[in-house]
Amino acid sequence: QAFTIVAAMGVGDNVMIIRTDAFPRLYDPKAKPVAMGSVSGQPRSGMQMNLWGHKYLGWNTRWVVGYPGSTDLMIAMERGEIDMTSFPRGYVIDKLNDTSKFKILYLDGLDKDAPKSGRADADNAPLFTDAMDGKIQDPKYLAAYNYWRASKVFKWVALPPKTPPAITDAYRKAFADTIADPEFETQSKNTLESFTVITPDRALDMIRTLA
């Protein structure tokens, strides 16, 4: 039996950003591969766009791993040590914004409700999910891709199965009131700049996909 989902929280969305001098090499298989920067261990969600882009969109890339965090990746991009990487959309509001040097390649498209950043080229970037639409035919790869898409759910609040509607409605109202509280909004942005709220129905779909 399914738990009764009150609501869920997401981690926002990500952009893939590339140096403009490296962009011509991205789709040229004969050129030097574009260096895709990543943190140690498993690539972050946004960085995993490179997995699918390399296999299905013809990206000419190679991984460069081992960076401790976003600040190190940003410096590496500025130095030309790497050519491409991914950041949360909110992180690049005031970073790497010289459009003569850096180009927002894609917005991942995984969180339709994510707040806009105010950076025009990030907010209006093409969606990676649109570029991938219909590209995967193999059922196993498609399942992996759908799992990646569903991984944007971060935390959820649930009640026991068969919770009476009146109780469910009371919890959902309390959650909505909390989200609307100015103090909560300030604290949430300080804690997670790309924080978003996911509706119960959408959250349940994502949780089922992950399960």
Side-chain angles (χ1 to χ4, degrees):
Q1 291 178 324
F3 285 89
T4 303
I5 302 298
V6 174
M9 294 165 283
V11 292
D13 51 8
N14 301 278
V15 296
M16 183 66 76
I17 187 167
I18 187 170
R19 290 181 60 89
T20 53
D21 56 5
F23 180 71
R25 294 189 277 119
L26 185 63
Y27 296 99
D28 183 357
K30 296 181 180 179
K32 178 182 178 181
V34 169
M36 169 66 197
S38 175
V39 293
S40 300
Q42 180 177 344
R44 294 172 178 171
S45 174
M47 294 170 180
Q48 292 177 44
M49 282 187 272
N50 184 50
L51 296 170
W52 307 107
H54 182 85
K55 185 170 181 63
Y56 291 101
L57 302 181
W59 291 3
N60 173 38
T61 58
R62 66 180 179 89
W63 289 96
V64 178
V65 302
Y67 291 95
S70 296
T71 300
D72 307 274
L73 286 161
M74 182 186 66
I75 293 171
M77 283 285 287
E78 290 176 333
R79 291 175 174 172
E81 188 175 292
I82 57 174
D83 301 311
M84 185 170 81
T85 193
S86 174
F87 294 108
R89 175 167 32 167
Y91 182 79
V92 295
I93 294 174
D94 56 354
K95 301 176 182 70
L96 306 177
N97 51 9
D98 183 344
T99 55
S100 69
K101 296 180 179 179
F102 306 103
K103 173 183 174 65
I104 301 291
L105 190 61
Y106 283 109
L107 185 62
D108 64 22
L110 300 186
D111 191 344
K112 305 287 187 182
D113 300 319
K116 291 186 179 297
S117 66
R119 176 172 171 170
D121 57 342
D123 292 340
N124 299 306
L127 301 184
F128 182 77
T129 48
D130 287 348
M132 286 292 298
D133 190 34
K135 292 289 194 299
I136 306 176
Q137 304 301 322
D138 186 295
K140 290 184 179 179
Y141 281 109
L142 185 59
Y145 177 73
N146 287 335
Y147 184 93
W148 170 69
R149 293 189 64 177
S151 66
K152 297 307 290 184
V153 67
F154 179 54
K155 300 284 186 181
W156 61 83
V157 179
L159 298 170
K162 298 183 179 179
T163 296
I167 295 177
T168 299
D169 291 345
Y171 271 87
R172 287 179 176 172
K173 183 180 184 305
F175 189 95
D177 289 345
T178 301
I179 296 300
D181 180 77
E183 182 180 356
F184 176 85
E185 183 178 1
T186 299
Q187 291 184 9
S188 66
K189 286 181 178 179
N190 290 337
T191 304
L192 187 66
E193 58 194 2
S194 53
F195 169 85
T196 56
V197 178
I198 301 172
T199 63
D201 289 343
R202 183 162 173 253
L204 187 57
D205 286 341
M206 296 168 81
I207 291 165
R208 284 173 172 163
T209 298
L210 292 173

